[in-house]
Amino acid sequence: MIVFITGASAGFGAEMARTFVKGGHQVVLAARRMDRLQALAAELGDNALAIEMDVADKKSIDEALSMLPQSWRQIDVLINNAGLALNTLPAHEVPLEDWETMIATNCKGLVTMTRAVLPAMVERGSGLIINLGSVAGHYPYPGGNVYGATKAFVEQFTLNLRADLAGTGVRATNLAPGLCGGTEFSNVRLKGDDAGAAKVYEGTTPLTAQDIAATAYWIASLPPHININSIEMMPTCQGFAPFNIKRATA
């Protein structure tokens, strides 16, 4: 099985690469940071292929796919993992460019990559697309604004893929984690504020990248007649808040 993972240079992507290679599969490692990809490929051996690619750039996607060796071109599993959150400011204060970056990566990049790979899967009558969503796509919270909206897009796009792909043999899953530590997610979101990022996980036992990788591997290992539409995951320390009510003061 050939697995193509976007955003493979760190976090979920790197751990999923390790998990699939350990399972005996070939993995294409795609991301912008080629130095990290090369180090990961050296760690994983001949079943890993590093390729520089920016999902927010259609030309970059097209070039990356065209550079794949012939024996690596039949992509059986596409994992649209590349994505990010930027900022926790309220909507009226967050810089517009942060919104634009999230939309370009989390939405436009995901659909462009999917459209590039999907026709060959349909033609073969087999394949799996795993899209990395988030519980933020289901539940709003202050500061979630466009990040949550992009993940709601991922969820709905995945379900609509299922509607279009019924009977084709091609599967699609929205994998939506909650609080997950041990990655760059919060460091990126808080733009290098490592102390602030650490506080996000203080006193918790969050999900790990290994948990997400194990779940993706399980989905890909199921018999081809089974489609997991959506999986929502949270650590047991995470739950749901009451409604936010602003009360007037006398």
Side-chain angles (χ1 to χ4, degrees), residues 53-182:
M53 189 186 79
D54 180 357
V55 297
D57 182 345
K58 182 181 183 299
K59 182 179 178 182
S60 177
I61 290 175
D62 292 340
E63 289 178 351
L65 292 173
S66 71
M67 290 169 57
L68 289 176
Q70 197 63 41
S71 60
W72 288 78
R73 292 196 174 191
Q74 183 176 305
I75 298 168
D76 300 295
V77 180
L78 169 63
I79 303 181
N80 282 314
N81 169 69
L84 77 167
L86 290 173
N87 233 309
T88 56
L89 290 172
H92 56 287
E93 296 179 12
V94 66
L96 178 61
E97 55 265 29
D98 285 354
W99 284 1
E100 291 171 334
T101 299
M102 287 186 282
I103 292 167
T105 304
N106 301 357
C107 300
K108 185 179 177 182
L110 183 144
V111 300
T112 304
M113 190 68 214
T114 299
R115 185 59 180 80
V117 171
L118 186 58
M121 289 183 171
V122 173
E123 186 177 348
R124 292 195 310 270
S126 67
L128 168 64
I129 296 170
I130 299 177
N131 292 325
L132 263 293
S134 169
V135 297
H138 296 172
Y139 313 110
Y141 60 89
N145 44 71
V146 165
Y147 174 68
T150 64
K151 293 305 183 178
F153 174 91
V154 171
E155 177 183 22
Q156 194 62 28
F157 176 65
T158 307
L159 292 176
N160 278 287
L161 279 179
R162 287 283 301 117
D164 286 343
L165 296 172
T168 66
V170 181
R171 301 177 289 167
T173 298
N174 177 44
L175 174 51
L179 185 71
C180 190

